[in-house]
Amino acid sequence: MSGAGNLAAQSLFNTAAEAKITKLIRKMTLDEKIAVIHASSSFTSGGVKRLGIPEITTSDGPHGVRPEHGRDWVLDEGVDDAGTYLPTGNTLAATWNPTLGYAYGSVLGSEANYRSKDIILGPGINIIRSPLNGRNFEYLSEDPYLIAKMAVGYIKGVQDQGVSACVKHYAANNEEADRGTVNVLMSERALREIYLPGFKAAVQEGQVNSIMGSYNKFRGQHATHSAYLVNTILKGEWGFKGLLMSDWGSVHDTKEALLNGTDLEMGTDLVLMNSTVSQTASNGGKVHEDLYSQFFMADAAKAMVKNGSIKEAVIDEKVRRILRVMLKTHMLDGKRIKGVYNSKNHQATALKVAEEGIVLLKNEGGLLPLSAAGLKSVAVIGENATRENAMGGGSSQVKAKYEITPLEGLKNLLGKETPVKYAQGYKIALNQQADSALIQQAVTAARSADVAIIYCGWTHGYDYSKWDNNAYDAEGVDKPNLDMPFGQNELIKAVLEANPKTIVVLMGGGPIDISGWVDHAAAIVEGWYPGMEGGNALAKVLFGQVNPSGKLPMTFPKKLEDSPAHHLGEFPGKNGEVHYNEGIFVGYRYFDTFKVKPQYAFGHGLSYTTFTYSAMSVKRNGNAVTVKVKLKNSGSRAGAEVLQLYVKQNQTKIEKPEKELKAFRKIFLKAGEEQLVEFQLTADAFKYYDETQKGWLTAPGSFNIMLGSASDDIRGERTVL
Ligand code: GLC
């Protein structure tokens, strides 16, 4: 599609489409209009056969197209639904590479087409407010600017395949255990500066076609039908023209849903099914023939139109938005782009995202990269070395065509020459403590090997074959604390003692408490959930075939109580409410301003080469500021640096964070190569949200522009007046 065509295709709203939609709506009966605004099965919404309007087919999720299953959520057998399992959300964010965001989205869109899905239910972009939130592994970051840049690429990647993305969960869904009931209370400034910018960028830069409302309440109203979040901000201020769908069971009131902007009700059957089951039990086994007519936006909505309490025009507006998305996803013109499934290209993207997302946290004495030549033996330790993660975590589960585990990846790289000795080391099981026999085996293996590599950290749950067997990094649960489970600390300390040439690879969805042994470990790597090619990516980083370039998209605290949500705010909520008392001081905005030293800072990530910054300059031109710097790869091997630009306001009465990320660039340089890098900051980079003025203002005073390799590794700073 040509650029112009693409641009036109990008905007959800054009006159030709509107005319076509108006004609269609005029032909529809009220029953037909009602049919399209609620689900017709667990993952489809109603169509109108008479008028050639198909059902919309949705599918999770953010990391790949979910396996097929029926209404009662039992996985279908014998279907072609084993696809590409991409690295999870925060691995993608850790690449700090928007181009990869686009490639990632393209894979998702193409595989959604292949599986005949019209809407892929991703990306998940909720702010990582507490390290305990079970779904952090799906999300991107603690920083709204990084989220915005990574999400927009992803959304465009999906939608350029003619599939709709569905950015979620709008808004303030930052904890899992009580997600269906908790009422989130935060300042307007925190909402505008931290929790909304990712969604605003998705709408205004990404032109996202659909958005998913969240389970939680916001200031007393269910977010999915919050007049303020949906009517005032999303559709009013931001001009969103697509459809807002509920989360599965997040609609709770017909009138609110109709009047406060919910366009499509999904998944209520989970709620109704339970009530129907209880009704069935109570009324002698009579089950309501059509559960879907019991949806809040079904018979009850029709009755309100019939009795005049709701104008039919309210329903028409929802139908219009749904038809807009159908037009954008070629559902009405039969021109669905032919999808590709699990291709070598898709697998290559999965590998690339993992390679660029892995973060080298510590590397003392140059233990890494390892050299295969001359390496007589390697001990591989930990259940995470052999664990496959694709089917874990809840709705983002993917049936992977294959998943290269860390152990397999190592064996692929080392081949037959270097013997690899595996020891389980610890066991993933409910209430599992340190297992002295397993630890002893691991110590013996480590002691007799040249190097030891421990794959440890978090896991999704215990048994992925059971849907609700979630435990740590998973939907519907929050971690109880940051303590390493299953007695891993004892194992790690013992192995470090046995062989100082030990590398610790942390897998999982984010920070974990490593304070017990971090000072004794020479090398530590964050591997996240790196997708189907993750084992190969990890091996290539450890053995230097890939120079790590990942940077942390969230702060790793030394201990849980150092986290602002726990130190200043509340997590999780109690008595049905959660107060975000930390306000705008989320993540590094808190650690830097309140001078709390983290274990590893936002934006931290080491390389096997070094970079020098020189000739930094800042120049104001009107409201904008041009920032220049020379970046040189001063080391002996090619690598990539993520240049981070932070803005700080000097001397102001306005309460402000020490610094805020306002630009970044990932630059690939050969050894010795130097590049001039330029940033253009607009006036927006210097604004804050003023609650009195209810708008964005620039406080008087000067600003410092900082350039760095991490939020705690600033390499240059200049003042601009
Ligand atoms: C889940 C999740 C949402 C998912 C939906 C459909 O409860 O919150 O992210 O897309 O339901 O599975």
Side-chain angles (χ1 to χ4, degrees):
M1 192 182 287
S2 72
N6 204 354
L7 209 59
Q10 283 295 333
S11 74
L12 255 164
F13 186 85
N14 65 60
T15 40
E18 292 309 299
K20 188 168 181 175
I21 290 168
T22 303
K23 265 173 75 179
L24 255 180
I25 291 174
R26 283 196 185 123
K27 292 177 186 165
M28 292 170 79
T29 65
L30 178 59
D31 280 342
E32 290 167 339
K33 293 173 186 174
I34 295 291
V36 305
I37 64 171
H38 65 78
S40 54
S41 81
S42 54
F43 279 88
T44 59
S45 59
V48 182
K49 224 192 197 86
R50 178 178 74 86
L51 297 171
I53 299 172
E55 290 183 320
I56 292 180
T57 303
T58 69
S59 172
D60 293 309
H63 317 133
V65 187
R66 192 171 179 177
E68 302 294 345
H69 59 281
R71 269 207 29 211
D72 52 8
W73 304 77
V74 175
L75 296 183
D76 293 358
E77 300 290 332
V79 287
D80 175 17
D81 60 0
T84 299
Y85 165 47
L86 291 158
T88 61
N90 46 38
T91 319
L92 174 63
T95 70
W96 290 61
N97 186 342
T99 310
L100 279 186
Y102 185 88
Y104 190 104
S106 302
V107 169
L108 270 178
S110 182
E111 300 216 349
N113 271 327
Y114 179 92
R115 293 268 300 279
S116 301
K117 312 296 181 185
D118 308 301
I119 300 181
I120 193 84
L121 302 171
I125 67 163
N126 291 98
I127 287 280
I128 295 177
R129 171 181 179 252
S130 159
L132 300 186
N133 176 23
R135 289 183 86 169
N136 284 343
F137 74 98
E138 284 185 62
Y139 300 154
L140 301 177
S141 175
E142 68 190 31
D143 179 82
Y145 183 86
L146 178 58
I147 291 171
K149 293 301 163 197
M150 296 311 293
V152 165
Y154 177 129
I155 290 162
K156 287 181 179 286
V158 170
Q159 299 193 161
D160 281 356
Q161 298 294 321
V163 171
S164 281
C166 181
V167 70
K168 64 189 187 182
H169 306 87
Y170 184 72
N173 180 183
N174 307 101
E175 58 194 64
E176 279 299 300
D178 56 357
R179 64 180 181 171
T181 54
V182 71
N183 180 23
V184 176
L185 300 165
M186 70 170 84
S187 71
E188 187 66 12
R189 191 167 173 209
L191 178 70
R192 298 290 184 155
E193 290 190 18
I194 305 294
Y195 294 90
L196 290 188
F199 291 100
K200 184 177 183 183
V203 169
Q204 297 192 335
E205 294 172 47
Q207 278 90 41
V208 73
N209 292 342
S210 67
I211 292 191
M212 187 185 292
S214 59
Y215 281 117
N216 54 283
K217 288 178 186 166
F218 178 76
R219 294 179 184 164
Q221 220 169 23
H222 278 282
T224 297
H225 31 80
S226 154
Y228 187 59
L229 288 178
V230 183
N231 288 346
T232 306
I233 297 176
L234 176 66
K235 298 183 176 180
E237 289 178 30
W238 299 350
F240 177 58
K241 293 283 181 283
L243 73 86
L244 176 96
M245 71 170 76
S246 72
D247 200 334
W248 268 236
S250 71
V251 170
H252 297 272
D253 181 280
T254 299
K255 189 162 189 183
E256 275 198 16
L258 294 180
L259 293 177
N260 296 348
T262 313
D263 299 306
L264 178 55
E265 177 187 3
M266 298 300 288
T268 303
D269 57 358
L270 289 178
V271 177
L272 289 177
M273 196 186 280
N274 296 335
S275 65
T276 306
V277 166
S278 56
Q279 279 169 15
T280 311
S282 60
N283 67 5
K286 184 184 172 313
V287 178
H288 195 288
E289 285 68 43
D290 170 11
L291 197 60
Y292 291 91
S293 63
Q294 287 184 63
F295 271 43
F296 294 96
M297 291 168 66
D299 288 358
K302 179 181 172 184
M304 293 186 89
V305 174
K306 286 287 186 201
N307 69 25
S309 51
I310 290 281
K311 289 190 172 46
E312 187 160 347
V314 168
I315 309 296
D316 292 354
E317 168 62 10
K318 300 177 195 298
V319 175
R320 178 171 296 279
R321 289 172 176 272
I322 290 167
L323 291 175
R324 273 187 195 133
V325 172
M326 286 187 173
L327 276 174
K328 277 274 283 139
T329 44
H330 303 295
M331 289 179 64
L332 299 179
D333 62 10
K335 290 188 184 133
R336 176 197 292 279
I337 297 171
K338 191 165 172 11
V340 172
Y341 204 50
N342 215 303
S343 63
K344 288 284 173 226
N345 268 351
H346 291 179
Q347 292 155 17
T349 298
L351 177 61
K352 190 93 190 100
V353 172
E355 287 174 347
E356 286 200 32
I358 289 164
V359 182
L360 179 56
L361 295 172
K362 181 178 181 182
N363 187 20
E364 245 162 33
L367 177 55
L368 289 175
L370 298 170
S371 162
L375 195 61
K376 288 195 286 300
S377 64
V378 180
V380 174
I381 296 160
E383 186 155 351
N384 268 348
T386 59
R387 194 153 180 86
E388 296 184 3
N389 297 299
M391 282 297 281
S395 62
S396 62
Q397 64 181 189
V398 180
K399 195 192 288 179
K401 192 80 178 172
Y402 61 83
E403 183 175 349
I404 307 288
T405 64
L407 179 60
E408 287 163 347
L410 265 184
K411 287 182 174 173
N412 290 343
L413 183 136
L414 291 172
K416 298 269 177 283
E417 296 75 60
T418 314
V420 174
K421 173 102 178 77
Y422 174 68
Q424 186 179 1
Y426 69 93
K427 193 166 174 40
I428 292 177
L430 186 60
N431 303 326
Q432 176 72 30
Q433 302 305 313
D435 180 318
S436 51
L438 290 179
I439 290 175
Q440 192 45 54
Q441 285 168 9
V443 164
T444 307
R447 196 170 280 139
S448 59
D450 282 358
V451 292
I453 307 171
I454 309 178
Y455 296 89
C456 55
W458 294 118
T459 186
H460 287 304
Y462 304 113
D463 174 352
Y464 299 158
S465 66
K466 296 197 188 77
W467 159 249
D468 58 357
N469 214 264
N470 292 330
Y472 298 95
D473 286 325
E475 182 169 346
V477 294
D478 296 315
K479 301 181 186 77
N481 50 50
L482 285 182
D483 301 347
M484 289 195 101
F486 322 125
Q488 292 178 80
N489 280 317
E490 291 86 332
L491 166 73
I492 295 165
K493 285 176 190 166
V495 170
L496 287 169
E497 180 82 27
N499 187 337
K501 285 190 173 179
T502 291
I503 297 105
V504 179
V505 181
L506 298 169
M507 310 297 287
I512 195 164
D513 187 337
I514 62 175
S515 55
W517 45 264
V518 59
D519 296 336
H520 306 288
I524 305 173
V525 173
E526 176 59 53
W528 311 111
Y529 292 111
M532 67 199 293
E533 283 285 343
N536 287 332
L538 279 165
K540 292 170 84 174
V541 166
L542 294 176
F543 280 85
Q545 290 181 5
V546 165
N547 187 354
S549 60
K551 299 280 185 180
L552 291 182
M554 82 285 283
T555 306
F556 277 32
K558 282 198 165 127
K559 50 190 194 305
L560 177 63
E561 45 279 21
D562 287 350
S563 280
H566 299 263
H567 190 76
L568 296 178
E570 292 171 347
F571 185 98
K574 45 183 181 292
N575 313 320
E577 282 190 350
V578 62
H579 294 83
Y580 289 15
N581 302 324
E582 74 282 5
I584 59 173
F585 297 102
V586 173
Y588 70 93
R589 285 174 166 82
Y590 167 76
F591 285 89
D592 289 355
T593 309
F594 290 78
K595 308 284 181 256
V596 176
K597 188 158 176 37
Q599 188 63 58
Y600 296 112
F602 172 80
H604 171 77
L606 303 177
S607 172
Y608 294 146
T609 187
T610 53
F611 296 96
T612 52
Y613 295 50
S614 63
M616 181 178 171
S617 68
V618 293
K619 187 167 176 295
R620 181 175 280 285
N621 37 357
N623 282 337
V625 174
T626 301
V627 182
K628 290 181 184 175
V629 69
K630 274 190 185 159
L631 179 73
K632 180 171 185 176
N633 177 341
S634 45
S636 57
R637 53 172 297 161
E641 169 69 313
V642 176
L643 263 161
Q644 299 157 45
L645 187 152
Y646 296 91
V647 171
K648 170 186 178 182
Q649 168 124 43
N650 300 316
Q651 303 91 22
T652 172
K653 289 192 297 298
I654 307 292
E655 191 183 41
K656 281 211 168 179
E658 163 66 15
K659 64 168 79 79
E660 298 181 274
L661 181 74
K662 295 295 179 185
F664 66 86
R665 195 83 50 77
K666 187 162 198 174
I667 307 281
F668 292 82
L669 295 173
K670 297 190 192 65
E673 191 180 359
E674 185 171 60
Q675 184 174 323
L676 176 66
V677 185
E678 185 172 320
F679 297 95
Q680 292 299 334
L681 296 178
T682 66
D684 287 350
F686 303 94
K687 290 183 176 172
Y688 74 97
Y689 187 82
D690 187 284
E691 294 180 342
T692 318
Q693 307 282 336
K694 292 189 178 8
W696 295 88
L697 301 181
T698 306
S702 66
F703 291 87
N704 277 13
I705 309 288
M706 302 173 210
L707 277 177
S709 186
S711 60
D712 68 344
D713 181 3
I714 298 302
R715 306 287 182 85
E717 186 164 357
R718 297 287 184 279
T719 300
V720 60
L721 301 173

